[in-house]
Amino acid sequence: MTMKNWWRHLNLLNIYLIVIVPLLGLWAAWYTPLTRATLLWSIVYYFNTGLGITAGKFIRALIVSEYE
């Protein structure tokens, strides 16, 4: 890889998932009116996502400790 062909080594799927999807989310959040239902849904969704990540890490740690 050189300075002339660095762009050939980019993974377009990763660029889409890491850059474009959050930008679309920000755009949608800007144009979505904040109502009580929208606020409640965003709070519930935020905590459920965090619980999913935490549970995944706990399960992974549990499985790795069983194989040792």
Side-chain angles (χ1 to χ4, degrees), residues 18-37:
I18 292 174
V19 176
I20 304 299
V21 171
L23 287 176
L24 287 173
L26 288 173
W27 177 78
W30 183 262
Y31 289 104
T32 302
L34 184 60
T35 63
R36 183 175 290 172

Side-chain angles (χ1 to χ4, degrees), residues 9-48:
H9 298 278
L10 295 177
N11 187 337
L12 295 180
L13 177 62
N14 286 347
I15 291 172
Y16 176 76
L17 293 175
I18 292 174
V19 176
I20 304 299
V21 171
L23 287 176
L24 287 173
L26 288 173
W27 177 78
W30 183 262
Y31 289 104
T32 302
L34 184 60
T35 63
R36 183 175 290 172
T38 307
L39 180 63
L40 180 64
W41 170 252
S42 64
I43 292 170
V44 169
Y45 194 76
Y46 174 79
F47 283 112
N48 283 340

